[in-house]
Amino acid sequence: MEVIWKWALKNAIEHDGKALPKAVLPKVLGERPELRENIRGLMEEIEKVVEEVNSLSLEEQKERLRGIAPELLEKKEVKKELPELPNAEKGKVVLRLPPEPSKYLHIGHAIGFYINYLYAKKYDGKLILRFEDTNPTKVKEEYYEGIRKDLRKIGIKWDEEVIMSERLKLYYGYAEKLIEEGHAYVCTCEEEVIRKNRWEREECKCRFRSIEENMDLWKRMHEELYPGEAILRLRGDMRSDDAAMRDPTLFRIITDEHPLQGKKYRVWPTYDFAVSIEDGLSVTHVLRSSEFLARTNLQNHLRSLLGLRNPTIIHYSRINIIGFVTKGREIRKLISEGKISGWDDPRLVTIRAILRRGIHPKTIERLAKEVGLSLAQTNLEWDMIAGINREMIDDLANRYFFVPDPVRIEVKGAPKVTAKLKLHPNHPERGLRVIKTKGVFYIPKEEARPGLIRLKDLYNVELKKEREGLVGYYAGKEISKEVKKIQWVTEENVEVKVLVPDGLKLREVKGLGEKGMEKLRKGEIIQMERFGFGRVDERKPLTIIFGHR
Ligand SMILES: [Zn+2]
């Protein structure tokens, strides 16, 4: 039997060419649970195959497995490891996670953060969680703790935390150094003029102010000038082909209240300035996505002017998530329009949303290893996330019967049976679902048509169309490959609502679950047989969020 060969070969390859019948059995049963009915015969068959498999060389075993189930072979052999980092010394690597607390993180961020976390572990290094919160207009208080919580939930640990808005004095010091050395000037031009000059690569008159004048205006920025009246700019190169170098803004006046600092400051550094300093002061390796590539020149230049060391900067490909809204701005709009319920709405791929759908933290770790630091564009589709997640949760998810769109069927001649079904086919120790059946069942509407079916793990039923509707007749116990196995519940059942995310729609599938589902705990991940995996979101009424098939 091919299924035995497949698992015997895999087991042998994993154990230096020697398979164990006992290890093969649960794998075979996991795939073909109906074989349990003749377990002794099956075990004999497995022993025979294992003997044959063990007589082959490891190479021959691999060759055979490649022939019947290459997917099992590849997974073991292509064990993804992150490539070495350049200039990395064990114990001395410092990396950072840099969220802006203006939104919740999505799976793309999570993967990027995981890459940093895995490298910090690999080199016994230090990981800094750094809140880039120097734009008071965008930052909101709830996101600080929300982000920490999300990161903890997916298993990322950091060693130190930096809140950039607490370090403005430090940044001011560096700004003054630049002014005093003639590398920065206060520009009082109108915004439009500045934009036009950048486009036309022309300098403005402010560039020629004396250091004293600049220092005076810098002080006035903190005290009396209004937003838009003055900015501090780098004396860069207005003729540079690198647009970022054309006298970029280093500080601007923002009078909005900051969620942590209140009205304490009114002059705020730009992203490039603050980040250049932080990365230069404490970070050895910056791993970031390629959208930041254009900032590199400028940031390195700023550090050289400030006398700071340049970290090793590595860009990996931007991760696009296909078919989901990921931009903070767009999500905020959907929430305010009432089109989604919040940042944890299952139609999103924020960390909190995918956890609600039953995505396992290990799935994010695996994705991080697979995406690694690849420079090819990464398009992430739900199917890929689901494929990995299925492997991660298959073992932990207990099985239950859920019947969508249920149709009531009376089965004539039905024996009374006490069905004992395993919570998990490979884990008998988790116990049984004991269901007493009489003659009434509910099955999915799409299966309710004349013909022979098998009530899964129970018996066969012949469905016939009669005057009063569809009627079932008991049709024996023997198992046949051709007969479709259908999930079912009895009259002892519980109402279940499954929410299925579908683009920006959230389909509500109503149905019945077996009585035992009443005991499910919130947060539990289950497999609804023939329907899919999901996570319990509410206990009353029992609501499950669909993850994937
Ligand atoms: Zn100017």
Side-chain angles (χ1 to χ4, degrees):
M1 224 186 306
E2 189 167 292
V3 61
I4 301 179
W5 268 94
K6 180 168 107 180
W7 291 110
L9 286 164
K10 182 167 163 64
N11 188 248
I13 291 163
E14 282 172 7
H15 297 93
D16 295 320
K18 297 288 169 236
L20 269 180
K22 253 195 285 181
V24 178
L25 180 67
K27 292 290 185 189
V28 173
L29 287 178
E31 200 172 323
R32 300 275 299 276
E34 72 277 9
L35 295 174
R36 208 171 307 135
E37 312 216 343
N38 178 12
I39 206 140
R40 187 175 298 179
L42 177 65
M43 201 56 195
E44 275 172 23
E45 190 75 37
I46 289 175
E47 278 165 1
K48 249 188 271 166
V49 172
V50 164
E51 205 181 335
E52 230 178 306
V53 164
N54 289 355
S55 72
L56 302 171
S57 73
L58 195 56
E59 270 324 297
E60 289 170 314
Q61 288 169 347
K62 283 185 185 167
E63 200 49 50
R64 293 287 284 267
L65 187 57
R66 196 168 290 123
I68 55 176
E71 72 282 2
L72 290 181
L73 199 60
E74 265 139 38
K75 248 169 241 150
K76 256 301 169 257
E77 288 205 320
V78 189
K79 207 174 169 196
K80 297 267 179 179
E81 276 308 321
L82 293 168
E84 297 288 330
L85 285 181
N87 313 321
E89 210 181 310
K90 214 164 177 124
K92 296 204 173 143
V93 170
V94 182
L95 299 142
R96 86 285 201 276
L97 314 173
E100 182 184 52
S102 62
K103 54 185 178 287
Y104 286 105
L105 305 176
H106 61 64
I107 187 168
H109 301 116
I111 291 170
F113 282 17
Y114 235 105
I115 293 173
N116 279 275
Y117 170 60
L118 292 171
Y119 272 118
K121 279 213 294 193
K122 183 181 168 89
Y123 291 109
D124 292 326
K126 188 163 93 177
L127 189 60
I128 300 172
L129 173 61
R130 186 172 81 200
F131 286 105
E132 298 188 336
D133 61 341
T134 57
N135 185 349
T137 314
K138 288 173 78 184
V139 173
K140 288 228 162 46
E141 192 171 3
E142 64 166 307
Y143 300 120
Y144 293 84
E145 192 49 29
I147 287 168
R148 288 186 197 106
K149 249 190 207 162
D150 286 351
L151 293 178
R152 280 189 210 111
K153 276 197 183 151
I154 59 172
I156 290 181
K157 295 183 195 80
W158 56 98
D159 306 289
E160 203 182 298
E161 196 178 293
V162 169
I163 295 178
M164 298 212 310
S165 68
E166 291 174 353
R167 290 155 70 85
L168 255 57
K169 291 264 164 65
L170 175 80
Y171 308 147
Y172 290 164
Y174 281 108
E176 279 155 28
K177 179 178 156 74
L178 288 185
I179 299 170
E180 278 159 11
E181 291 173 2
H183 296 305
Y185 63 96
V186 175
C187 174
T188 48
C189 294
E190 305 246 329
E191 220 180 299
E192 269 159 65
V193 176
I194 295 173
R195 201 176 306 132
K196 186 165 163 279
N197 281 349
R198 277 211 177 107
W199 179 250
E200 290 169 357
R201 307 192 184 193
E202 272 185 35
E203 298 169 350
C204 73
K205 58 187 188 320
C206 314
R207 220 174 189 264
F208 305 100
R209 282 198 169 107
S210 70
I211 290 169
E212 291 71 34
E213 261 180 289
N214 280 322
M215 277 310 272
D216 180 55
L217 278 165
W218 166 252
K219 287 208 179 81
R220 287 177 58 203
M221 281 173 72
H222 293 266
E223 285 155 9
E224 54 182 45
L225 294 176
Y226 284 98
E229 286 188 328
I231 55 174
L232 185 71
R233 294 176 73 176
L234 176 75
R235 188 171 276 125
D237 178 2
M238 288 305 283
R239 274 160 218 91
S240 174
D241 288 332
D242 179 352
M245 293 299 292
R246 290 177 210 152
D247 291 16
T249 306
L250 305 178
F251 281 86
R252 66 272 201 236
I253 303 167
I254 303 175
T255 48
D256 289 343
E257 194 166 328
H258 188 282
L260 302 189
Q261 311 306 330
K263 295 262 189 184
K264 201 163 154 194
Y265 305 106
R266 61 204 303 277
V267 178
W268 292 90
T270 53
Y271 170 81
D272 282 315
F273 191 73
V275 157
S276 301
I277 293 171
E278 293 294 347
D279 284 344
L281 283 175
S282 52
V283 176
T284 62
H285 290 75
V286 171
L287 313 181
R288 62 186 183 188
S289 72
S290 50
E291 61 205 282
F292 294 99
L293 202 61
R295 320 309 306 170
T296 305
N297 252 346
L298 168 62
Q299 293 179 3
N300 283 342
H301 179 66
L302 283 170
R303 276 187 289 264
S304 73
L305 294 178
L306 297 169
L308 296 170
R309 184 187 37 77
N310 281 333
T312 302
I313 304 181
I314 295 156
H315 294 97
Y316 55 83
S317 93
R318 199 195 145 98
I319 299 160
N320 289 320
I321 296 132
I322 310 296
F324 290 89
V325 180
T326 53
K327 289 204 171 69
R329 180 170 32 86
E330 289 168 24
I331 294 173
R332 252 176 250 119
K333 187 162 174 267
L334 288 171
I335 294 173
S336 73
E337 288 169 352
K339 289 187 177 146
I340 57 173
S341 60
W343 289 90
D344 64 348
D345 190 289
R347 285 162 283 192
L348 299 175
V349 283
T350 54
I351 294 178
R352 33 194 65 203
I354 62 169
L355 290 175
R356 245 182 116 188
R357 288 183 75 170
I359 297 300
H360 197 278
K362 283 269 172 216
T363 297
I364 301 169
E365 181 176 337
R366 252 282 289 285
L367 283 167
K369 283 183 178 167
E370 271 177 32
V371 174
L373 297 177
S374 111
L375 267 176
Q377 164 125 339
T378 306
N379 291 323
L380 204 56
E381 293 186 52
W382 186 255
D383 282 352
M384 182 180 172
I385 301 171
I388 294 174
N389 198 58
R390 198 175 297 117
E391 276 178 49
M392 298 298 167
I393 64 175
D394 185 58
D395 201 59
L396 64 92
N398 286 336
R399 273 50 169 174
Y400 291 95
F401 286 158
F402 163 70
V403 176
D405 301 321
V407 171
R408 186 178 186 275
I409 302 280
E410 233 184 290
V411 177
K412 302 202 165 149
K416 285 186 181 171
V417 178
T418 302
K420 291 177 179 168
L421 314 177
K422 285 203 183 93
L423 274 167
H424 194 290
N426 302 339
H427 292 283
E429 77 283 0
R430 290 188 197 166
L432 300 166
R433 300 132 59 200
V434 178
I435 306 172
K436 290 188 175 159
T437 74
K438 292 174 193 153
V440 175
F441 296 90
Y442 291 88
I443 63 168
K445 188 177 168 192
E446 60 172 21
E447 308 292 351
R449 50 175 182 263
L452 188 64
I453 58 164
R454 181 177 182 82
L455 300 177
K456 198 164 184 296
D457 303 324
L458 195 67
Y459 51 65
N460 304 325
V461 171
E462 178 82 43
L463 294 174
K464 287 184 185 163
K465 199 161 178 84
E466 288 179 3
R467 218 168 344 157
E468 68 261 44
L470 206 61
V471 177
Y473 290 89
Y474 177 71
K477 278 185 142 177
E478 80 252 38
I479 297 171
S480 156
K481 260 192 188 166
E482 287 85 59
V483 180
K484 207 168 178 185
K485 297 169 198 73
I486 308 293
Q487 78 275 35
W488 48 270
V489 297
T490 64
E491 283 181 303
E492 295 265 288
N493 57 49
V494 53
E495 279 181 28
V496 182
K497 194 165 76 180
V498 181
L499 300 177
V500 184
D502 179 8
L504 274 181
K505 285 197 293 277
L506 190 60
R507 270 193 299 124
E508 188 179 308
V509 179
K510 285 189 177 156
L512 297 172
E514 57 183 78
K515 189 78 175 160
M517 288 176 78
E518 277 180 342
K519 292 203 192 93
L520 288 171
R521 294 178 311 272
K522 187 171 169 161
E524 204 169 329
I525 297 171
I526 60 166
Q527 186 184 15
M528 296 164 279
E529 295 205 49
R530 299 188 69 247
F531 189 82
F533 291 90
R535 181 181 168 281
V536 179
D537 198 58
E538 283 296 337
R539 292 196 61 215
K540 276 175 191 173
L542 186 53
T543 308
I544 291 167
I545 296 183
F546 182 79
H548 46 76
R549 297 285 306 186

